[in-house]
Amino acid sequence: MREEAHTVLRRDPVMADLIERHDPYDEPDWDEYERLCISIINQQLSTASAAAVRERVFDLLEGDVTPAAVLAADEAALRDAGLSRSKVEYVRNAAHAFRENDYTRTGLASHSDDEVVDLLTEIKGIGAWTARMYLLFVLERPDVLPLGDLAVRRGIEQLYGNGAELSRDEMREIADPWRPYRSVATRYIWAEYESD
C-alpha cells in the first residue's frame, strides 16, 4: 500500500518533498491495547511530555501493557508515573472493554471507519480524536484525516498556508488530492511538524 500511496502523494510537490525527508514508519510495533493506552496518554499533552509519561508507565508495567496488568496495577503508582486520576480511569475503562469485546484488527475488520469511531467512543475516556488515532495507527485504515489533531492542523498551515490560519474546509480541500491515502499523508505531516 505504501508504494501506491507514495505514487499518489508525490503528485503534490509538498508531499513529494516530505516523502524524501522523513520516515514516519519507524515506531515500535505496539499491539492494539498498548496503542490505545498511548493515545490516551497523549491526550492534551505535548509530544515530549507524553513520551516521558508513556515511558514511566510502561516501565512500571515492566513492558507488560495488557488489560490484566493495567487492572492489577496500583493506582497510586500509575499516578506517580504521570497519569492523571482521569487517565487512570480511562486506561482501566479501555482494559475492561478489551476484555469484553474484540477491538483487534481482525475483530473490527468488517466495520467502517465511522462504526469503529462509534464503538470506541462508547468507552468512557475515548473521544473522537483517540478513536481516529486508533483507526490510523492500529487498524491502519488508509484514508483518515484527523483534523481534530492540533499538530495536523498546524502542520498543514505551515506547509500549505505559510503559517496562516486555515479553516477545516480549506484543509479538507488541500487534502482531497491525497485520497485514498490521507492517513499516509498525515504521518508525513506529523513527522515534519515534530522535526521543527
Side-chain angles (χ1 to χ4, degrees):
M1 178 190 89
R2 214 171 307 163
E3 279 183 31
E4 284 175 36
H6 285 172
T7 300
V8 170
L9 296 178
R10 279 196 173 100
R11 295 175 193 148
D12 176 332
V14 173
M15 276 293 147
D17 179 54
L18 296 183
I19 289 167
E20 293 308 311
R21 294 192 293 111
H22 297 290
D23 177 12
Y25 288 91
D26 61 353
E27 65 178 26
D29 189 23
W30 287 298
D31 73 18
E32 291 94 338
Y33 179 71
E34 284 176 304
R35 192 67 186 96
L36 186 58
C37 285
I38 290 164
S39 291
I40 291 169
I41 290 167
N42 289 353
Q43 290 171 0
Q44 300 176 324
L45 289 179
S46 70
T47 303
S49 297
V53 172
R54 181 189 72 225
E55 191 172 318
R56 289 195 302 269
V57 170
F58 280 35
D59 284 349
L60 171 69
L61 298 170
E62 298 176 350
D64 182 34
V65 185
T66 61
V70 167
L71 292 170
D74 180 68
E75 181 173 348
L78 289 169
R79 300 273 316 278
D80 288 344
L83 291 183
S84 64
R85 181 172 276 114
S86 58
K87 286 189 180 181
V88 170
E89 180 189 348
Y90 299 163
V91 295
R92 288 186 165 168
N93 290 345
H96 286 298
F98 265 71
R99 284 180 148 188
E100 293 164 14
N101 297 293
D102 187 355
Y103 293 103
T104 63
R105 292 174 186 93
T106 306
L108 294 174
S110 64
H111 292 75
S112 71
D113 291 355
D114 288 341
E115 287 169 343
V116 171
V117 169
D118 289 345
L119 281 171
L120 288 172
T121 54
E122 287 174 8
I123 304 168
K124 187 177 179 208
I126 308 299
W129 177 86
T130 304
R132 286 195 173 80
M133 295 305 103
Y134 198 81
L135 283 170
L136 213 150
F137 288 106
V138 176
L139 303 183
E140 297 181 337
R141 298 290 174 92
D143 200 36
V144 179
L145 181 67
L147 293 180
D149 186 86
L150 181 64
V152 171
R153 292 197 311 275
R154 293 289 175 269
I156 292 172
E157 287 169 349
Q158 287 172 3
L159 290 163
Y160 293 88
N162 293 318
E165 193 171 325
L166 298 170
S167 71
R168 292 192 189 202
D169 283 343
E170 288 172 315
M171 292 181 195
R172 286 187 195 96
E173 196 173 315
I174 288 164
D176 202 55
W178 308 338
R179 289 177 186 271
Y181 300 110
R182 291 180 300 174
S183 297
V184 179
T186 295
R187 283 177 176 261
Y188 282 101
I189 290 165
W190 268 317
E192 175 70 8
Y193 183 79
E194 290 172 5
S195 71
D196 288 344

